[in-house]
């Protein structure tokens, strides 16, 4: 893949796929004009500074003093959309590499790299909401971890959904998830209520059991269609409870309920594993062009705002250097075997089983040792955050620090690996 270097390209171009391979960069004219306009007034910010600038623009709060002003609300929406679009362009590379790396770790999957990329980039709101520059981790590093987690969750979820029969899927799904799926499928409130009640009756009557002499199958992923007698029992229960619904609900036959529930299973399957749509797809409105062509150009920022951003960037860079020193010291204090483990896992990107074979130990031993090493580093980083940055170590904060640590390990060892190829550096962290 040809990486982008120019700031305008970084924040205005999007990846194009040819089959399952990188096919080049597509420039969005609106975003390109936006970046050029800003660079003509503010040229001193580096890549990370612009990333944090656009993230700040995306986070702009609503001014209560102008609440209800449609013109102000519209301008704010345009600013946020513009910032989100710039950040989506910026995060193309980490999303691509997260998809490639994650999918390689799964032996069997129907997702291609292009599919994985679209699954991950669709969760950009999750990345932007969770990212906090005060933690010292760059946006790209943080996004890489989140994108990888999103794809892994999708693969596990898809594997579960793919192997389930409709009836097993309905046994597993929660009422909340069913309601969301029916809403996403476009069902009205009353139709969703009817189908939810039918699903509730289905779960009440059709209860699989593990008893060998039971005519009902076990609760497995291959749960078979209920028998005729079971459907009649489900219909009887539904008709006795239909008065719970608003209005005079007519009675339903077993066949009608079976059809409803099959629709429910289809809706759940589509909701849990939705089809992936590309941002470069045609608008479909009879006009030429893609959805990205409709992004607004946005407004110019003041030089004062740029100066504030630059000062914040300098402060965060200093905290970043301090955090790196803390982690370097913590890693240096680890036993040689633990340092080797980190090199194999993060620098050489070896799988746990490959590491186990190389070190002649069990795979679960590798997993346990990696967990212990991460805990040691997390404790060092959390202690520094509490004592130096005066951050209260709540559960949510510790989770954020853990994500930042994982991102730092991945990027630091990857960078050290690149340095070693060019300058024969032996140490994993410089």
């Amino acid at each position: 893949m040809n990486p982008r270097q120019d700031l305008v390209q970084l924040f205005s171009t999007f990846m194009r796929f040819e089959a399952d391979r990188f096919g080049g960069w597509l420039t969005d004219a609106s975003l390109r004009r936006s970046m050029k306009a800003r660079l003509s007034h503010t040229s001193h910010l580096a890549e990370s500074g612009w990333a944090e600038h656009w993230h700040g623009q995306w986070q702009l709060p609503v001014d209560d003093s102008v609440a209800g002003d449609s013109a102000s609300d519209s301008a704010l929406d345009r600013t946020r959309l513009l910032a989100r679009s710039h950040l989506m362009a910026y995060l193309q590379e980490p999303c691509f590499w997260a998809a490639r790396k994650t999918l390689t770790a799964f032996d069997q999957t129907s997702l291609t790299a292009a599919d994985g990329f679209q699954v991950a980039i669709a969760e950009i709101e999750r990345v932007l909401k969770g990212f906090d520059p005060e933690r010292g981790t760059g946006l790209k590093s943080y996004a890489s971890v989140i994108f990888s987690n999103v794809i892994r969750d999708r693969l596990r979820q898809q594997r579960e959904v793919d192997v389930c029969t409709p009836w097993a899927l309905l046994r597993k799904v929660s009422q909340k998830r069913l309601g969301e799926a029916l809403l996403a499928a476009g069902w009205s409130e009353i139709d969703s209520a009817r189908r939810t009640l039918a699903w509730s009756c289905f779960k009440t009557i059709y209860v699989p059991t593990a008893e060998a002499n039971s005519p009902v199958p076990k609760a497995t992923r291959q749960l078979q269609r209920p028998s005729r007698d079971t459907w009649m029992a489900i219909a009887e229960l539904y008709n006795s409870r239909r008065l719970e619904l608003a209005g005079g609900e007519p009675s339903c036959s077993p066949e009608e309920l079976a059809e409803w529930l099959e629709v429910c299973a289809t809706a759940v399957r589509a909701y849990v594993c939705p089809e992936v749509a590309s941002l470069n797809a045609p608008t479909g409105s009879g006009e030429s062009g893609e959805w990205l062509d409709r992004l607004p150009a946005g407004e110019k920022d003041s030089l004062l705002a740029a100066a504030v951003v630059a000062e914040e960037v300098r402060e965060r860079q200093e905290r970043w250097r301090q955090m790196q020193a803390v982690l370097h010291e913590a890693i240096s204090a680890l036993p040689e075997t633990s340092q080797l483990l980190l090199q194999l896992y993060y620098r050489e990107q070896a799988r746990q089983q490959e590491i186990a074979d190389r070190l002649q130990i069990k795979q679960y031993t590798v997993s346990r040792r990696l967990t212990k090493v991460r805990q040691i580093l997390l404790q060092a980083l959390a202690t520094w955050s509490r004592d130096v940055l005066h951050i209260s170590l709540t559960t949510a904060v510790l989770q954020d620090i853990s994500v930042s640590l994982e991102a730092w390990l991945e990027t630091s060892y990857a960078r050290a690996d690149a340095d070693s190829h060019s300058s024969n550096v032996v140490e994993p962290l410089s």
Side-chain angles (χ1 to χ4, degrees):
M1 182 180 70
N2 182 26
R4 302 170 295 178
Q5 303 294 336
D6 179 75
L7 283 173
V8 174
Q9 290 182 340
L10 278 170
F11 289 93
S12 66
T13 58
F14 294 84
M15 189 171 295
R16 177 172 61 87
F17 285 90
E18 291 181 354
D20 197 32
R21 293 178 174 273
F22 170 74
W25 295 103
L26 297 174
T27 301
D28 179 84
S30 299
L31 297 183
R32 183 179 178 84
R33 288 193 299 269
S34 171
M35 279 302 297
K36 281 191 169 183
R38 283 162 175 77
L39 285 170
S40 66
H41 293 278
T42 307
S43 59
H44 63 279
L45 285 183
E47 174 186 328
S48 59
W50 280 110
E52 293 185 10
H53 163 76
W54 288 120
H55 185 255
Q57 292 290 296
W58 177 81
Q59 287 183 310
L60 282 176
V62 176
D63 188 351
D64 294 335
S65 64
V66 295
D69 187 334
S70 59
S72 299
D73 291 344
S74 178
L76 181 60
D77 289 341
R78 288 196 300 271
T79 299
R80 287 173 171 168
L81 178 59
L82 176 68
R84 182 182 185 276
S85 302
H86 277 301
L87 292 170
M88 182 177 288
Y90 177 62
L91 295 176
Q92 296 286 293
E93 281 108 338
C95 186
F96 174 78
W97 292 118
R100 287 283 297 270
K101 180 179 178 182
T102 306
L103 291 170
T104 301
F106 283 77
D107 296 329
Q108 295 181 346
T109 175
S110 60
L111 286 185
T112 64
D115 294 333
F117 176 90
Q118 296 292 354
V119 166
I121 204 68
E123 296 295 327
I124 190 172
E125 293 284 339
R126 176 177 168 185
V127 174
L128 300 182
K129 288 178 181 178
F131 175 63
D132 184 359
E134 298 295 336
R135 304 288 184 220
T137 303
L139 178 58
K140 279 188 174 180
S141 299
Y142 179 81
S144 294
V145 175
I146 300 301
F147 286 149
S148 297
N149 291 340
V150 166
I151 297 171
R152 277 194 291 267
D153 290 344
R154 173 63 180 273
L155 289 170
R156 296 189 185 101
Q157 196 173 56
Q158 185 175 36
R159 183 172 297 178
E160 177 75 11
V161 170
D162 285 345
V163 299
C164 280
T165 66
W167 320 110
L169 190 59
L170 291 175
R171 286 289 312 169
K172 291 175 178 290
V173 72
S174 66
Q175 182 172 336
K176 179 176 181 295
R177 181 61 62 86
L178 175 63
E180 293 171 348
L182 292 174
L183 179 64
W187 291 99
S188 66
E189 183 177 349
I190 184 59
D191 285 336
S192 296
R194 292 178 182 128
R195 283 153 181 78
T196 301
L197 178 58
W199 167 82
S200 177
C201 295
F202 164 82
K203 289 195 70 173
T204 300
I205 298 297
Y206 193 29
V207 181
T209 175
E211 296 178 8
N213 58 351
S214 172
V216 183
K218 294 181 180 180
T220 66
R221 297 172 180 174
Q222 300 303 314
L223 190 63
Q224 298 302 304
R225 181 187 180 92
S227 65
R228 171 67 180 174
D229 290 342
T230 302
W231 279 119
M232 293 182 66
I234 294 172
E236 183 178 355
L237 178 59
Y238 175 86
N239 291 326
S240 67
R241 294 180 56 187
R242 60 190 169 88
L243 297 180
E244 298 175 9
L245 302 173
E249 289 297 316
S251 60
C252 287
S253 66
E255 292 75 17
E256 188 173 7
L257 288 174
E259 182 179 347
W260 282 5
L261 289 173
E262 287 179 343
V263 169
C264 288
T266 300
V268 170
R269 203 179 298 273
Y271 180 73
V272 173
C273 295
E275 293 184 3
V276 179
S278 172
L279 289 170
N280 300 116
T283 58
S285 57
E287 302 175 1
S288 61
E290 302 172 347
W291 285 107
L292 287 176
D293 296 333
R294 297 189 173 188
L295 296 176
E299 305 296 332
K300 296 181 180 179
D301 299 312
S302 68
L303 293 177
L304 177 60
V308 172
V309 170
E311 179 62 26
E312 291 177 348
V313 168
R314 285 191 290 271
E315 292 178 359
R316 288 169 188 147
Q317 287 175 342
E318 177 59 29
R319 285 195 295 269
W320 174 250
R321 285 190 289 268
Q322 294 176 8
M323 187 196 78
Q324 284 186 310
V326 170
L327 289 173
H328 286 318
E329 182 178 355
I331 290 176
S332 299
L334 291 173
E336 291 185 2
T337 53
S338 297
Q339 294 188 38
L340 175 60
L341 191 61
L342 290 175
Q343 290 185 46
L344 293 174
Y345 189 75
Y346 290 103
R347 180 173 176 175
E348 299 185 16
Q349 297 186 351
R351 298 185 183 183
Q352 290 186 9
Q353 186 58 56
E354 294 172 345
I355 297 174
D357 295 340
R358 180 167 174 177
L359 301 181
Q360 296 183 345
I361 56 179
K362 299 294 185 181
Q363 183 272 332
Y364 63 82
T365 303
V366 173
S367 177
R368 188 165 58 241
R369 290 181 181 177
L370 275 172
T371 300
K372 183 178 180 180
V373 170
R374 290 194 192 101
Q375 289 174 345
I376 293 173
L377 299 180
L378 177 61
Q379 183 177 0
L381 191 55
T383 301
W384 172 78
S385 300
R386 182 195 61 198
D387 297 344
V388 176
L389 302 181
H390 308 292
I391 297 174
S392 300
L393 299 179
T394 63
T395 301
V397 169
L398 288 174
Q399 289 176 346
D400 289 342
I401 295 176
S402 179
V403 171
S404 299
L405 172 63
E406 187 70 14
W408 184 85
L409 287 169
E410 290 185 356
T411 55
S412 295
Y413 277 90
R415 184 167 57 249
D417 186 40
D419 292 342
S420 67
H421 282 87
S422 60
S423 58
N424 294 322
V425 176
V426 176
E427 293 297 325
L429 297 172
S430 58

mmCIF file of all heavy atoms in Angstrom, residues 275-293:
data_model
loop_
_atom_site.group_PDB
_atom_site.id
_atom_site.type_symbol
_atom_site.label_atom_id
_atom_site.label_comp_id
_atom_site.label_asym_id
_atom_site.label_seq_id
_atom_site.Cartn_x
_atom_site.Cartn_y
_atom_site.Cartn_z
ATOM 1 N N GLU A 275 -25.273 -5.989 6.289
ATOM 2 C CA GLU A 275 -24.447 -5.890 5.095
ATOM 3 C C GLU A 275 -23.581 -4.641 5.192
ATOM 4 O O GLU A 275 -23.964 -3.632 5.772
ATOM 5 C CB GLU A 275 -25.325 -5.811 3.839
ATOM 6 C CG GLU A 275 -26.102 -7.091 3.553
ATOM 7 C CD GLU A 275 -26.871 -6.998 2.267
ATOM 8 O OE1 GLU A 275 -26.747 -5.954 1.586
ATOM 9 O OE2 GLU A 275 -27.591 -7.944 1.937
ATOM 10 N N VAL A 276 -22.386 -4.724 4.612
ATOM 11 C CA VAL A 276 -21.443 -3.619 4.651
ATOM 12 C C VAL A 276 -21.628 -2.753 3.415
ATOM 13 O O VAL A 276 -21.626 -3.253 2.295
ATOM 14 C CB VAL A 276 -19.994 -4.145 4.717
ATOM 15 C CG1 VAL A 276 -19.012 -2.992 4.730
ATOM 16 C CG2 VAL A 276 -19.810 -5.015 5.955
ATOM 17 N N ALA A 277 -21.816 -1.445 3.622
ATOM 18 C CA ALA A 277 -21.988 -0.508 2.515
ATOM 19 C C ALA A 277 -20.782 0.408 2.430
ATOM 20 O O ALA A 277 -20.255 0.846 3.439
ATOM 21 C CB ALA A 277 -23.265 0.317 2.702
ATOM 22 N N SER A 278 -20.335 0.688 1.234
ATOM 23 C CA SER A 278 -19.158 1.519 1.029
ATOM 24 C C SER A 278 -19.529 2.995 0.961
ATOM 25 O O SER A 278 -20.578 3.375 0.445
ATOM 26 C CB SER A 278 -18.458 1.120 -0.279
ATOM 27 O OG SER A 278 -17.422 2.025 -0.581
ATOM 28 N N LEU A 279 -18.661 3.828 1.511
ATOM 29 C CA LEU A 279 -18.853 5.267 1.415
ATOM 30 C C LEU A 279 -18.689 5.754 -0.018
ATOM 31 O O LEU A 279 -19.114 6.855 -0.353
ATOM 32 C CB LEU A 279 -17.838 5.988 2.315
ATOM 33 C CG LEU A 279 -18.070 5.857 3.811
ATOM 34 C CD1 LEU A 279 -16.873 6.400 4.550
ATOM 35 C CD2 LEU A 279 -19.327 6.582 4.219
ATOM 36 N N ASN A 280 -18.022 4.950 -0.839
ATOM 37 C CA ASN A 280 -17.807 5.330 -2.232
ATOM 38 C C ASN A 280 -18.920 4.815 -3.146
ATOM 39 O O ASN A 280 -18.797 4.872 -4.364
ATOM 40 C CB ASN A 280 -16.461 4.790 -2.721
ATOM 41 C CG ASN A 280 -15.307 5.321 -1.902
ATOM 42 O OD1 ASN A 280 -14.619 4.570 -1.234
ATOM 43 N ND2 ASN A 280 -15.101 6.628 -1.928
ATOM 44 N N ALA A 281 -20.010 4.328 -2.543
ATOM 45 C CA ALA A 281 -21.125 3.840 -3.348
ATOM 46 C C ALA A 281 -21.883 5.013 -3.966
ATOM 47 O O ALA A 281 -21.911 6.112 -3.415
ATOM 48 C CB ALA A 281 -22.072 3.007 -2.479
ATOM 49 N N PRO A 282 -22.514 4.799 -5.138
ATOM 50 C CA PRO A 282 -23.317 5.859 -5.753
ATOM 51 C C PRO A 282 -24.450 6.281 -4.829
ATOM 52 O O PRO A 282 -24.950 5.485 -4.026
ATOM 53 C CB PRO A 282 -23.856 5.195 -7.032
ATOM 54 C CG PRO A 282 -22.903 4.082 -7.311
ATOM 55 C CD PRO A 282 -22.447 3.590 -5.966
ATOM 56 N N THR A 283 -24.885 7.534 -4.944
ATOM 57 C CA THR A 283 -25.935 8.043 -4.074
ATOM 58 C C THR A 283 -27.270 7.369 -4.330
ATOM 59 O O THR A 283 -28.112 7.295 -3.437
ATOM 60 C CB THR A 283 -26.104 9.555 -4.273
ATOM 61 O OG1 THR A 283 -26.414 9.817 -5.644
ATOM 62 C CG2 THR A 283 -24.824 10.292 -3.904
ATOM 63 N N GLY A 284 -27.475 6.881 -5.546
ATOM 64 C CA GLY A 284 -28.719 6.187 -5.847
ATOM 65 C C GLY A 284 -29.917 7.101 -5.992
ATOM 66 O O GLY A 284 -31.046 6.666 -5.994
ATOM 67 N N SER A 285 -29.687 8.398 -6.074
ATOM 68 C CA SER A 285 -30.782 9.360 -6.175
ATOM 69 C C SER A 285 -31.006 9.852 -7.601
ATOM 70 O O SER A 285 -31.649 10.868 -7.819
ATOM 71 C CB SER A 285 -30.490 10.565 -5.263
ATOM 72 O OG SER A 285 -29.250 11.158 -5.619
ATOM 73 N N GLY A 286 -30.431 9.167 -8.569
ATOM 74 C CA GLY A 286 -30.562 9.592 -9.946
ATOM 75 C C GLY A 286 -29.500 10.567 -10.377
ATOM 76 O O GLY A 286 -29.449 10.973 -11.534
ATOM 77 N N GLU A 287 -28.627 10.954 -9.428
ATOM 78 C CA GLU A 287 -27.561 11.889 -9.735
ATOM 79 C C GLU A 287 -26.244 11.133 -9.791
ATOM 80 O O GLU A 287 -26.066 10.106 -9.147
ATOM 81 C CB GLU A 287 -27.482 12.973 -8.663
ATOM 82 C CG GLU A 287 -28.781 13.761 -8.496
ATOM 83 C CD GLU A 287 -28.684 14.741 -7.346
ATOM 84 O OE1 GLU A 287 -27.612 14.807 -6.719
ATOM 85 O OE2 GLU A 287 -29.678 15.437 -7.088
ATOM 86 N N SER A 288 -25.312 11.655 -10.551
ATOM 87 C CA SER A 288 -23.992 11.042 -10.610
ATOM 88 C C SER A 288 -23.201 11.409 -9.366
ATOM 89 O O SER A 288 -23.480 12.406 -8.707
ATOM 90 C CB SER A 288 -23.250 11.517 -11.861
ATOM 91 O OG SER A 288 -23.081 12.923 -11.831
ATOM 92 N N GLY A 289 -22.194 10.604 -9.043
ATOM 93 C CA GLY A 289 -21.359 10.905 -7.883
ATOM 94 C C GLY A 289 -21.585 9.932 -6.744
ATOM 95 O O GLY A 289 -22.448 9.043 -6.809
ATOM 96 N N GLU A 290 -20.788 10.106 -5.685
ATOM 97 C CA GLU A 290 -20.836 9.230 -4.520
ATOM 98 C C GLU A 290 -21.315 10.011 -3.314
ATOM 99 O O GLU A 290 -21.411 11.245 -3.326
ATOM 100 C CB GLU A 290 -19.443 8.644 -4.259
ATOM 101 C CG GLU A 290 -18.891 7.872 -5.454
ATOM 102 C CD GLU A 290 -17.445 7.477 -5.259
ATOM 103 O OE1 GLU A 290 -16.810 8.004 -4.326
ATOM 104 O OE2 GLU A 290 -16.963 6.653 -6.036
ATOM 105 N N TRP A 291 -21.583 9.276 -2.202
ATOM 106 C CA TRP A 291 -22.051 9.925 -0.984
ATOM 107 C C TRP A 291 -21.022 10.927 -0.461
ATOM 108 O O TRP A 291 -21.367 11.963 0.098
ATOM 109 C CB TRP A 291 -22.353 8.876 0.084
ATOM 110 C CG TRP A 291 -23.628 8.138 -0.173
ATOM 111 C CD1 TRP A 291 -23.768 6.856 -0.593
ATOM 112 C CD2 TRP A 291 -24.955 8.666 -0.045
ATOM 113 N NE1 TRP A 291 -25.101 6.537 -0.746
ATOM 114 C CE2 TRP A 291 -25.841 7.635 -0.406
ATOM 115 C CE3 TRP A 291 -25.463 9.900 0.342
ATOM 116 C CZ2 TRP A 291 -27.222 7.807 -0.389
ATOM 117 C CZ3 TRP A 291 -26.843 10.076 0.355
ATOM 118 C CH2 TRP A 291 -27.709 9.040 -0.005
ATOM 119 N N LEU A 292 -19.736 10.623 -0.634
ATOM 120 C CA LEU A 292 -18.705 11.523 -0.124
ATOM 121 C C LEU A 292 -18.720 12.871 -0.834
ATOM 122 O O LEU A 292 -18.218 13.861 -0.291
ATOM 123 C CB LEU A 292 -17.320 10.876 -0.277
ATOM 124 C CG LEU A 292 -17.031 9.727 0.686
ATOM 125 C CD1 LEU A 292 -15.690 9.115 0.363
ATOM 126 C CD2 LEU A 292 -17.056 10.214 2.119
ATOM 127 N N ASP A 293 -19.292 12.912 -2.041
ATOM 128 C CA ASP A 293 -19.336 14.172 -2.771
ATOM 129 C C ASP A 293 -20.237 15.200 -2.096
ATOM 130 O O ASP A 293 -20.166 16.388 -2.403
ATOM 131 C CB ASP A 293 -19.841 13.942 -4.208
ATOM 132 C CG ASP A 293 -18.881 13.069 -5.003
ATOM 133 O OD1 ASP A 293 -17.685 13.079 -4.677
ATOM 134 O OD2 ASP A 293 -19.329 12.385 -5.941
#
